[in-house]
Amino acid sequence: IRLLETFNQQGLSNIVWAFAKVEVSHPRLFEKVADEIIAHGNLDRFPPQGLSTIVWAFAKTEVSEPHLFEKVADYIVALDNIDMF
């Protein structure tokens, strides 16, 4: 878990997707991934597919991270055009 800070946006998306795909919930890992994404500040560097995958993975594994969900929602709303997402 200590190496998560070395993951790029795709890596963070891939790790939670993999756990969700095999239906394994690891709340501590997901919490750390959420913290890392929130720490990025601006989500512009995350592709829309990556953000969608991350939110899907959290939902699929039933891991709730309200601060992450709020950050992603605020980012999408701030685009002011859903077509840009």
Side-chain angles (χ1 to χ4, degrees), residues 66-85:
H67 294 299
L68 172 65
F69 301 152
E70 184 175 344
K71 184 173 182 88
V72 172
D74 288 346
Y75 170 73
I76 294 168
V77 169
L79 291 175
D80 202 32
N81 184 347
I82 196 68
D83 293 336
M84 294 175 69
F85 186 74

Side-chain angles (χ1 to χ4, degrees), residues 2 13 16 18 27 40 45 49 52 55 64 71 80 83 85:
R2 287 176 276 161
S13 176
V16 293
H40 273 94
R45 300 180 76 189
Q49 181 64 45
S52 298
V55 172
S64 180
K71 184 173 182 88
D80 202 32
D83 293 336
F85 186 74

